[in-house]
Amino acid sequence: MSETPSTDAPTNAKQRVALVTGAAGGLGREFAIALARRGHLVAGLDLADQSGTAELVGESFHPVRADVTDPDEVQAAVEEAAARFGGLHILVNNAGVYPPLEFEETTLEDWRRIMRVNLDGPFLVTRAALPHMKAAGWGRVVNIVSAVVFLGPPDLVAYTTSKAGLVGFTRALSSAVGGHGITVNAISPGLTRTETAARTTGADGGFERVRDLQVIRAVEEPGDLVSTLLYVCDEGSGFLTGQTINIDGGSAKH
Ligand SMILES: NC(=O)c1ccc[n+]([C@@H]2O[C@H](COP(=O)([O-])OP(=O)(O)OC[C@H]3O[C@@H](n4cnc5c(N)ncnc54)[C@H](O)[C@@H]3O)[C@@H](O)[C@H]2O)c1
């Protein structure tokens, strides 16, 4: 995990306002820190307490509380973030759940819960954020999917389906909003060392098993995703849209 960010940004970078969902910990916290270090103002949206992230990022961070599956909470949280920083330009749809489940033991409620968080969530947050990006004539939507969409592991059928849906969302939405100077891309991490991954897919030697299937023989860390996030959000990346960039140490050759 990164240390406290410095406040200096590259001199050619414009200061933008970013909203990162699921910023209380894990990848979302890493992304919030990275965007702030790049010089952006960052709002974090989460159900959980974000004081740990706020402490690490400092004054350029504003936490808003919402369940991404609740349209009213999402709308209010997005408006609060935009009002706090005077606009909204970058959205990282990162909040997600990935419980391992045997397919035949998966209940309809399990299935719907995974779809609600991983698909309804990005839909609702993006829909609320777009008017602000359109008003600015510039935007970056970044959807965090997963290398499982290429690998299809047996215990993550519902999760894989939800993230494959988010790849489709990325492609079609990029066509719908490109005329407004807004790009939409997806980043697909492999198994990455976060607390949640350590409790679930990475438990019982899972990190090591996945590492041994990679070309790059190291456990993926949240920091391994940062350069790609910053590249996708860069002022100079306006011609990159509708793409899914896979960062999994070479397991899936996408
Ligand atoms: N860690 C990995 O191995 C890995 C690999 C590929 C993709 N991903 C994806 O990256 C994202 C982050 O994963 P992580 O490992 O950091 O997980 P995490 O559990 O550490 O973080 C997810 C965050 O989302 C928040 N969240 C969950 N449901 C929410 C809801 N309904 N409303 C608002 N916030 C909610 C949680 O409170 C949490 O802070 C997820 O979308 C996950 O599917 C993770």
Side-chain angles (χ1 to χ4, degrees):
M1 200 66 65
S2 302
E3 293 162 12
T4 308
S6 70
T7 50
D8 47 357
T11 46
N12 63 347
K14 270 195 182 176
Q15 186 175 61
R16 299 291 189 179
V17 179
L19 177 69
V20 180
T21 70
L27 301 186
R29 173 180 288 177
E30 189 78 14
F31 296 153
I33 291 169
L35 289 164
R37 181 174 284 170
R38 179 47 60 99
H40 301 310
L41 302 166
V42 183
L45 183 156
D46 208 302
L47 269 175
D49 176 61
Q50 297 183 72
S51 51
T53 307
E55 252 173 59
L56 285 166
V57 179
E59 276 182 7
S60 54
F61 185 77
H62 181 71
V64 290
R65 198 208 157 277
D67 181 333
V68 293
T69 69
D70 183 307
D72 295 335
E73 287 187 18
V74 164
Q75 190 67 40
V78 168
E79 295 312 322
E80 181 186 333
R84 169 71 177 80
F85 289 133
L88 183 52
H89 310 103
I90 296 169
L91 167 61
V92 185
N93 281 312
N94 164 79
V97 290
Y98 47 97
L101 289 167
E102 290 297 321
F103 178 64
E104 284 168 82
E105 287 167 17
T106 303
T107 65
L108 182 58
E109 186 40 43
D110 293 331
W111 182 271
R112 286 185 172 154
R113 172 78 194 145
I114 291 167
M115 300 304 158
R116 276 200 299 269
V117 179
N118 295 357
L119 272 178
D120 295 11
F123 160 64
L124 292 171
V125 182
T126 306
R127 195 181 59 172
L130 277 175
H132 297 285
M133 295 185 191
K134 283 186 176 179
W138 192 96
R140 299 278 184 266
V141 179
V142 186
N143 298 316
I144 305 305
V145 297
S146 169
V148 299
V149 301
F150 307 113
L151 299 167
D155 58 342
L156 290 167
V157 176
Y159 175 64
T160 301
T161 305
S162 72
K163 292 295 190 180
L166 200 49
V167 170
F169 176 79
T170 301
R171 292 179 180 168
L173 185 69
S174 71
S175 304
V177 300
H180 298 275
I182 301 168
T183 69
V184 186
N185 292 288
I187 292 176
S188 72
L191 178 60
T192 308
R193 202 190 319 258
T194 63
E195 276 177 33
T196 300
R199 273 201 316 274
T200 56
T201 23
D204 303 326
F207 284 125
E208 290 69 28
R209 279 195 299 280
V210 169
R211 176 196 64 199
D212 293 344
L213 297 171
Q214 295 168 188
V215 176
I216 308 300
R217 294 288 167 90
V219 175
E220 189 163 352
E221 302 289 344
D224 291 319
L225 300 161
V226 161
S227 62
T228 307
L229 175 77
L230 296 177
Y231 159 60
V232 169
C233 295
D234 196 83
E235 298 292 325
S237 297
F239 230 61
L240 175 79
T241 195
Q243 306 304 310
T244 297
I245 304 178
N246 188 44
I247 309 157
D248 72 348
S251 287
K253 309 290 193 298
H254 166 60

